[in-house]
Amino acid sequence: MKPAVQIGKYWIGEGHPCFIVSEIGINHNGDVALAKKLIDVSVRAGAHAVKFQKRTIEAVYTPEELARSRENPFGPTNGDLKRGLEFDTAAYREIDAYCRQQGILWYNSCWDEASVDFMEAFNPPCYKVASASLTDDALLKHTRATGRPIILSTGMSTLAEIEHAVDVLGTRDLVILHCTSTYPSKDEELNLNMLPRLKQMFPDCPIGYSGHETGVMPSVLAVAMGACMLERHVTLDRAMWGSDQAASLEPHGLELLVKYTRLTPVVLGDGIKVVYDREQPIIEKLRRVKSPVSPR
């Protein structure tokens, strides 16, 4: 039996339509109104879900890191930036209601245990473990304890680290995403041939792709290579302020991604050679010699 994981009403796995996630992440720049616009873009494009990021700032960053000088729209320090990008309970209640209204799933990558506990109040369909959190055994165990499906991203990780994380999480209701954590990624950093390698290493888990390249072609190619899920950052404009904007797709790019992803299995076909009915008149018109073999 081919592995499959249910996220909300959707199934992720071979034989099911590719599950497409529009990652809003922190591209909302701390503005719920902007987040809603990005949700609208995702719905119009045909994405199945949107994803955000949740951090307990004091748990994820050291006091020294928060005090580091960094000019940004929220103040002069890195702490001002990190706190300014974080949505509170009221903001997430608004996002939750808006996603329900728009008919799209939403969930978060939680970077610490308290953020997982925070998100439990919203009954998310799953959790994402970010590449940066792959080596955090305590967080992996805490996330697994919720009993919800988990999506594991594998950027900036060795094969040994990935294997260890999967050992900690177990393969039940686990989707593994090939990923390169550069923003934006260069073509030579994408290494899509890791997709069949991961499928071989983890036969009990659906394998997908989380991309940070600027275009859509590598992501579509990933689907052609068997990726059951795609995750791409979305923005209104790659020139907007923010660290992830340049590695994101603009609205038209997201629309093309969804369109080409849905077209990919149609183009690939079933691998059975046939002579199509629409070829018959071409045979009559162009072939000088009739076939020496009988049809089969």
Side-chain angles (χ1 to χ4, degrees), residues 80-100:
D80 293 324
L81 172 61
K82 300 305 181 184
R83 294 185 184 95
L85 291 174
E86 213 51 54
F87 281 154
D88 60 13
T89 301
Y92 274 118
R93 283 177 180 160
E94 196 170 344
I95 287 168
D96 182 51
Y98 196 72
C99 286
R100 291 176 188 277

PDB file of all heavy atoms in Angstrom, residues 80-100:
ATOM      1  N   ASP A  80      13.159  44.021  18.483  1.00  0.00           N
ATOM      2  CA  ASP A  80      12.021  44.798  17.989  1.00  0.00           C
ATOM      3  C   ASP A  80      11.445  44.154  16.734  1.00  0.00           C
ATOM      4  O   ASP A  80      10.211  44.065  16.563  1.00  0.00           O
ATOM      5  CB  ASP A  80      12.460  46.236  17.668  1.00  0.00           C
ATOM      6  CG  ASP A  80      12.851  47.015  18.903  1.00  0.00           C
ATOM      7  OD1 ASP A  80      12.218  46.821  19.953  1.00  0.00           O
ATOM      8  OD2 ASP A  80      13.801  47.820  18.814  1.00  0.00           O
ATOM      9  N   LEU A  81      12.316  43.701  15.845  1.00  0.00           N
ATOM     10  CA  LEU A  81      11.875  43.059  14.611  1.00  0.00           C
ATOM     11  C   LEU A  81      11.124  41.756  14.909  1.00  0.00           C
ATOM     12  O   LEU A  81      10.012  41.546  14.402  1.00  0.00           O
ATOM     13  CB  LEU A  81      13.080  42.765  13.722  1.00  0.00           C
ATOM     14  CG  LEU A  81      12.814  41.915  12.474  1.00  0.00           C
ATOM     15  CD1 LEU A  81      11.832  42.610  11.545  1.00  0.00           C
ATOM     16  CD2 LEU A  81      14.113  41.599  11.755  1.00  0.00           C
ATOM     17  N   LYS A  82      11.730  40.900  15.715  1.00  0.00           N
ATOM     18  CA  LYS A  82      11.122  39.598  15.983  1.00  0.00           C
ATOM     19  C   LYS A  82       9.771  39.750  16.669  1.00  0.00           C
ATOM     20  O   LYS A  82       8.809  39.047  16.336  1.00  0.00           O
ATOM     21  CB  LYS A  82      12.058  38.743  16.839  1.00  0.00           C
ATOM     22  CG  LYS A  82      13.418  38.451  16.201  1.00  0.00           C
ATOM     23  CD  LYS A  82      13.268  37.807  14.829  1.00  0.00           C
ATOM     24  CE  LYS A  82      14.627  37.492  14.202  1.00  0.00           C
ATOM     25  NZ  LYS A  82      14.498  36.965  12.828  1.00  0.00           N
ATOM     26  N   ARG A  83       9.664  40.650  17.609  1.00  0.00           N
ATOM     27  CA  ARG A  83       8.385  40.862  18.301  1.00  0.00           C
ATOM     28  C   ARG A  83       7.362  41.502  17.372  1.00  0.00           C
ATOM     29  O   ARG A  83       6.172  41.178  17.439  1.00  0.00           O
ATOM     30  CB  ARG A  83       8.607  41.715  19.546  1.00  0.00           C
ATOM     31  CG  ARG A  83       9.460  41.025  20.618  1.00  0.00           C
ATOM     32  CD  ARG A  83       9.572  41.852  21.893  1.00  0.00           C
ATOM     33  NE  ARG A  83      10.469  41.210  22.848  1.00  0.00           N
ATOM     34  CZ  ARG A  83      11.760  41.494  22.990  1.00  0.00           C
ATOM     35  NH1 ARG A  83      12.310  42.445  22.234  1.00  0.00           N
ATOM     36  NH2 ARG A  83      12.500  40.856  23.880  1.00  0.00           N
ATOM     37  N   GLY A  84       7.817  42.387  16.501  1.00  0.00           N
ATOM     38  CA  GLY A  84       6.900  43.056  15.584  1.00  0.00           C
ATOM     39  C   GLY A  84       6.283  42.122  14.559  1.00  0.00           C
ATOM     40  O   GLY A  84       5.170  42.359  14.082  1.00  0.00           O
ATOM     41  N   LEU A  85       7.003  41.039  14.219  1.00  0.00           N
ATOM     42  CA  LEU A  85       6.518  40.090  13.219  1.00  0.00           C
ATOM     43  C   LEU A  85       5.619  39.015  13.813  1.00  0.00           C
ATOM     44  O   LEU A  85       5.031  38.228  13.073  1.00  0.00           O
ATOM     45  CB  LEU A  85       7.709  39.409  12.525  1.00  0.00           C
ATOM     46  CG  LEU A  85       8.570  40.286  11.614  1.00  0.00           C
ATOM     47  CD1 LEU A  85       9.783  39.510  11.128  1.00  0.00           C
ATOM     48  CD2 LEU A  85       7.753  40.815  10.435  1.00  0.00           C
ATOM     49  N   GLU A  86       5.507  38.987  15.127  1.00  0.00           N
ATOM     50  CA  GLU A  86       4.769  37.907  15.789  1.00  0.00           C
ATOM     51  C   GLU A  86       3.307  38.281  16.000  1.00  0.00           C
ATOM     52  O   GLU A  86       2.994  39.320  16.563  1.00  0.00           O
ATOM     53  CB  GLU A  86       5.436  37.631  17.143  1.00  0.00           C
ATOM     54  CG  GLU A  86       5.404  36.211  17.614  1.00  0.00           C
ATOM     55  CD  GLU A  86       5.879  35.183  16.614  1.00  0.00           C
ATOM     56  OE1 GLU A  86       6.989  35.292  16.070  1.00  0.00           O
ATOM     57  OE2 GLU A  86       5.085  34.254  16.370  1.00  0.00           O
ATOM     58  N   PHE A  87       2.402  37.449  15.529  1.00  0.00           N
ATOM     59  CA  PHE A  87       0.970  37.656  15.738  1.00  0.00           C
ATOM     60  C   PHE A  87       0.562  37.142  17.124  1.00  0.00           C
ATOM     61  O   PHE A  87       1.051  36.100  17.568  1.00  0.00           O
ATOM     62  CB  PHE A  87       0.153  36.920  14.681  1.00  0.00           C
ATOM     63  CG  PHE A  87       0.089  37.614  13.348  1.00  0.00           C
ATOM     64  CD1 PHE A  87      -0.121  36.880  12.187  1.00  0.00           C
ATOM     65  CD2 PHE A  87       0.217  38.984  13.243  1.00  0.00           C
ATOM     66  CE1 PHE A  87      -0.204  37.510  10.953  1.00  0.00           C
ATOM     67  CE2 PHE A  87       0.144  39.623  12.020  1.00  0.00           C
ATOM     68  CZ  PHE A  87      -0.068  38.890  10.871  1.00  0.00           C
ATOM     69  N   ASP A  88      -0.371  37.853  17.767  1.00  0.00           N
ATOM     70  CA  ASP A  88      -0.888  37.430  19.067  1.00  0.00           C
ATOM     71  C   ASP A  88      -2.179  36.626  18.890  1.00  0.00           C
ATOM     72  O   ASP A  88      -2.610  36.336  17.761  1.00  0.00           O
ATOM     73  CB  ASP A  88      -1.105  38.639  19.989  1.00  0.00           C
ATOM     74  CG  ASP A  88      -2.098  39.646  19.422  1.00  0.00           C
ATOM     75  OD1 ASP A  88      -2.809  39.326  18.446  1.00  0.00           O
ATOM     76  OD2 ASP A  88      -2.164  40.768  19.963  1.00  0.00           O
ATOM     77  N   THR A  89      -2.800  36.284  20.012  1.00  0.00           N
ATOM     78  CA  THR A  89      -4.006  35.462  19.972  1.00  0.00           C
ATOM     79  C   THR A  89      -5.121  36.120  19.159  1.00  0.00           C
ATOM     80  O   THR A  89      -5.785  35.467  18.340  1.00  0.00           O
ATOM     81  CB  THR A  89      -4.500  35.182  21.398  1.00  0.00           C
ATOM     82  OG1 THR A  89      -3.467  34.515  22.138  1.00  0.00           O
ATOM     83  CG2 THR A  89      -5.752  34.306  21.380  1.00  0.00           C
ATOM     84  N   ALA A  90      -5.323  37.414  19.383  1.00  0.00           N
ATOM     85  CA  ALA A  90      -6.396  38.122  18.668  1.00  0.00           C
ATOM     86  C   ALA A  90      -6.163  38.087  17.162  1.00  0.00           C
ATOM     87  O   ALA A  90      -7.100  37.890  16.380  1.00  0.00           O
ATOM     88  CB  ALA A  90      -6.487  39.569  19.164  1.00  0.00           C
ATOM     89  N   ALA A  91      -4.914  38.266  16.747  1.00  0.00           N
ATOM     90  CA  ALA A  91      -4.591  38.248  15.316  1.00  0.00           C
ATOM     91  C   ALA A  91      -4.869  36.868  14.726  1.00  0.00           C
ATOM     92  O   ALA A  91      -5.450  36.738  13.638  1.00  0.00           O
ATOM     93  CB  ALA A  91      -3.141  38.646  15.092  1.00  0.00           C
ATOM     94  N   TYR A  92      -4.469  35.825  15.439  1.00  0.00           N
ATOM     95  CA  TYR A  92      -4.693  34.479  14.916  1.00  0.00           C
ATOM     96  C   TYR A  92      -6.169  34.098  14.928  1.00  0.00           C
ATOM     97  O   TYR A  92      -6.623  33.326  14.079  1.00  0.00           O
ATOM     98  CB  TYR A  92      -3.849  33.459  15.676  1.00  0.00           C
ATOM     99  CG  TYR A  92      -2.449  33.320  15.103  1.00  0.00           C
ATOM    100  CD1 TYR A  92      -1.320  33.621  15.856  1.00  0.00           C
ATOM    101  CD2 TYR A  92      -2.268  32.898  13.790  1.00  0.00           C
ATOM    102  CE1 TYR A  92      -0.046  33.504  15.326  1.00  0.00           C
ATOM    103  CE2 TYR A  92      -0.996  32.775  13.242  1.00  0.00           C
ATOM    104  CZ  TYR A  92       0.107  33.079  14.014  1.00  0.00           C
ATOM    105  OH  TYR A  92       1.365  32.973  13.470  1.00  0.00           O
ATOM    106  N   ARG A  93      -6.929  34.610  15.876  1.00  0.00           N
ATOM    107  CA  ARG A  93      -8.375  34.375  15.835  1.00  0.00           C
ATOM    108  C   ARG A  93      -8.977  34.986  14.572  1.00  0.00           C
ATOM    109  O   ARG A  93      -9.860  34.392  13.929  1.00  0.00           O
ATOM    110  CB  ARG A  93      -9.034  34.971  17.074  1.00  0.00           C
ATOM    111  CG  ARG A  93      -8.845  34.138  18.340  1.00  0.00           C
ATOM    112  CD  ARG A  93      -9.459  34.827  19.541  1.00  0.00           C
ATOM    113  NE  ARG A  93      -9.271  34.016  20.748  1.00  0.00           N
ATOM    114  CZ  ARG A  93      -9.340  34.499  21.976  1.00  0.00           C
ATOM    115  NH1 ARG A  93      -9.610  35.786  22.179  1.00  0.00           N
ATOM    116  NH2 ARG A  93      -9.162  33.705  23.014  1.00  0.00           N
ATOM    117  N   GLU A  94      -8.480  36.166  14.207  1.00  0.00           N
ATOM    118  CA  GLU A  94      -8.964  36.826  12.993  1.00  0.00           C
ATOM    119  C   GLU A  94      -8.559  36.034  11.757  1.00  0.00           C
ATOM    120  O   GLU A  94      -9.353  35.859  10.818  1.00  0.00           O
ATOM    121  CB  GLU A  94      -8.410  38.248  12.949  1.00  0.00           C
ATOM    122  CG  GLU A  94      -9.118  39.155  11.974  1.00  0.00           C
ATOM    123  CD  GLU A  94      -8.719  40.619  12.130  1.00  0.00           C
ATOM    124  OE1 GLU A  94      -8.128  40.983  13.168  1.00  0.00           O
ATOM    125  OE2 GLU A  94      -8.995  41.382  11.185  1.00  0.00           O
ATOM    126  N   ILE A  95      -7.326  35.535  11.749  1.00  0.00           N
ATOM    127  CA  ILE A  95      -6.844  34.731  10.633  1.00  0.00           C
ATOM    128  C   ILE A  95      -7.624  33.421  10.538  1.00  0.00           C
ATOM    129  O   ILE A  95      -8.021  32.987   9.445  1.00  0.00           O
ATOM    130  CB  ILE A  95      -5.335  34.464  10.787  1.00  0.00           C
ATOM    131  CG1 ILE A  95      -4.549  35.745  10.484  1.00  0.00           C
ATOM    132  CG2 ILE A  95      -4.880  33.314   9.882  1.00  0.00           C
ATOM    133  CD1 ILE A  95      -3.101  35.675  10.874  1.00  0.00           C
ATOM    134  N   ASP A  96      -7.869  32.792  11.681  1.00  0.00           N
ATOM    135  CA  ASP A  96      -8.623  31.548  11.713  1.00  0.00           C
ATOM    136  C   ASP A  96     -10.016  31.748  11.115  1.00  0.00           C
ATOM    137  O   ASP A  96     -10.462  30.959  10.258  1.00  0.00           O
ATOM    138  CB  ASP A  96      -8.725  31.050  13.154  1.00  0.00           C
ATOM    139  CG  ASP A  96      -9.462  29.734  13.269  1.00  0.00           C
ATOM    140  OD1 ASP A  96      -9.119  28.791  12.535  1.00  0.00           O
ATOM    141  OD2 ASP A  96     -10.399  29.649  14.083  1.00  0.00           O
ATOM    142  N   ALA A  97     -10.695  32.792  11.543  1.00  0.00           N
ATOM    143  CA  ALA A  97     -12.040  33.067  11.034  1.00  0.00           C
ATOM    144  C   ALA A  97     -12.012  33.371   9.542  1.00  0.00           C
ATOM    145  O   ALA A  97     -12.890  32.932   8.783  1.00  0.00           O
ATOM    146  CB  ALA A  97     -12.655  34.240  11.809  1.00  0.00           C
ATOM    147  N   TYR A  98     -10.989  34.110   9.107  1.00  0.00           N
ATOM    148  CA  TYR A  98     -10.911  34.488   7.692  1.00  0.00           C
ATOM    149  C   TYR A  98     -10.632  33.271   6.813  1.00  0.00           C
ATOM    150  O   TYR A  98     -11.229  33.122   5.737  1.00  0.00           O
ATOM    151  CB  TYR A  98      -9.835  35.556   7.492  1.00  0.00           C
ATOM    152  CG  TYR A  98      -9.948  36.258   6.168  1.00  0.00           C
ATOM    153  CD1 TYR A  98     -10.982  37.153   5.913  1.00  0.00           C
ATOM    154  CD2 TYR A  98      -9.028  36.032   5.151  1.00  0.00           C
ATOM    155  CE1 TYR A  98     -11.107  37.791   4.688  1.00  0.00           C
ATOM    156  CE2 TYR A  98      -9.133  36.664   3.917  1.00  0.00           C
ATOM    157  CZ  TYR A  98     -10.178  37.552   3.705  1.00  0.00           C
ATOM    158  OH  TYR A  98     -10.292  38.183   2.487  1.00  0.00           O
ATOM    159  N   CYS A  99      -9.748  32.385   7.261  1.00  0.00           N
ATOM    160  CA  CYS A  99      -9.462  31.181   6.482  1.00  0.00           C
ATOM    161  C   CYS A  99     -10.687  30.282   6.394  1.00  0.00           C
ATOM    162  O   CYS A  99     -10.960  29.676   5.347  1.00  0.00           O
ATOM    163  CB  CYS A  99      -8.282  30.424   7.089  1.00  0.00           C
ATOM    164  SG  CYS A  99      -6.672  31.199   6.796  1.00  0.00           S
ATOM    165  N   ARG A 100     -11.435  30.177   7.479  1.00  0.00           N
ATOM    166  CA  ARG A 100     -12.667  29.388   7.445  1.00  0.00           C
ATOM    167  C   ARG A 100     -13.660  29.996   6.448  1.00  0.00           C
ATOM    168  O   ARG A 100     -14.321  29.296   5.687  1.00  0.00           O
ATOM    169  CB  ARG A 100     -13.288  29.314   8.841  1.00  0.00           C
ATOM    170  CG  ARG A 100     -12.480  28.491   9.828  1.00  0.00           C
ATOM    171  CD  ARG A 100     -13.085  28.527  11.223  1.00  0.00           C
ATOM    172  NE  ARG A 100     -12.227  27.902  12.188  1.00  0.00           N
ATOM    173  CZ  ARG A 100     -12.177  26.593  12.420  1.00  0.00           C
ATOM    174  NH1 ARG A 100     -12.976  25.782  11.732  1.00  0.00           N
ATOM    175  NH2 ARG A 100     -11.363  26.092  13.320  1.00  0.00           N
TER     176      ARG A 100
END
